[in-house]
Amino acid sequence: MNPNRHLMTLDEFTFFQTKQFKNSTGELSTLLRDIGLACKLINKQVNKAGLTEILGAHGAVNVQGEEQMKLDVFANEVMISVLRNSADCAGIASEENDDIVVFEDDHSLNSKYVVMFDPLDGSSNIDVNASIGTIFCIYKRISELGKPCNIDDFLQKGRNIMASGYVIYGSSTMLVYASRLGVNGFTLEQSIGEFCLSHKDMRCPVDGKIYSINQGNTCKLNDKLKSYLDFCMADDKATRRPYSHRYIGSMVADLHRTLIKGGIFMYPEDRSNPKGKLRLLYECNPMSHIIEMAGGKGTSGTENILDMKPSELHQRVPIFIGSKNMVEQAVAMIYQ
Ligand code: P6P
């Protein structure tokens, strides 16, 4: 099969990537295929959410104390079910589950990988039809093969990520994933049910003119953060300011725009969220891995996100992420 052929599916693409590593077993690409399957199942429900009894609140709250929307619960159950039946996953951690979920069947006990995910990020946008997404990252387990995976497999630094990605359920459904070979985007061709390569070798522009933050939180920010926002809004043609402000309130959508157009996305610490709002393990780490593999940067303000040693499953961190030059300038103005 000619790898330069126009239509290339996710499976074919990862197959060709795998061939570049002589002792690769193909398990990682199989795992990606399984995650792609789960997201196609989620996509079907997201696409018809208005027509079926799946909209609205589920009537429970998750470990974050956030009200669970029915689609959150559905997406979480699909991800867990598909990964439990995958030949290559020893266990998962999810935003929707208090603890890790260990897969105890023989196959899973001998699987090399664990997966962390936010099954449906941006769920507050579900009822208003704004873009939402699934975020995931894959680690090689550090616990002994043949035995159940454990919490240490999940508290690894983001630097150890083998592959990360997201699926954005928007005007089109697109899977973007990063491996050590780079970042590539696949658009779902609904007529054949395949993710097809549409954005090869994605790069995050080193500069941009969009800043993305929940401006409504300004009153809760410290003075340095307020000064940086004033900088973004100041008139200076030489530095292409004022910047444009864009904020969808769905991390996947805001970061997909940032990856493609450049800019900076921020969810800093504030009076209500002293450690920030977004979670390190299954939001900030995978998104920082993707952005960094595309030439951008992700930091807490004081530390590169991928170098942070996690202490607990659902810990939150502040995040400044996007175009390298913009992130570095913001950090210098706020934290140095
Ligand atoms: P706020 C969605 O609920 C989410 O977890 C991220 O997707 C998003 O970036 C952030 O929270 C939005 O938070 O406080 O601005 O509504």
Side-chain angles (χ1 to χ4, degrees), residues 121-122 124 214 217 247 249-251 265 267 277-279 283:
D121 173 73
S124 54
N214 184 338
N217 291 336
Y247 191 73
S250 171
M251 186 186 199
F265 171 85
Y267 210 112
K277 174 184 181 184
L278 301 176
R279 295 78 167 184
E283 289 176 331

Side-chain angles (χ1 to χ4, degrees), residues 188-202:
L188 183 61
E189 173 44 76
Q190 308 272 6
S191 61
I192 57 173
E194 290 282 2
F195 283 109
C196 298
L197 184 64
S198 54
H199 297 64
K200 195 161 178 356
D201 293 329
M202 298 179 82

Side-chain angles (χ1 to χ4, degrees), residues 218-238:
T218 303
C219 56
K220 304 176 192 171
L221 301 177
N222 66 40
D223 291 344
K224 287 247 180 168
L225 279 160
K226 286 178 182 171
S227 304
Y228 176 68
L229 294 189
D230 290 339
F231 167 82
C232 292
M233 293 182 273
D235 193 1
D236 178 335
K237 295 290 172 283

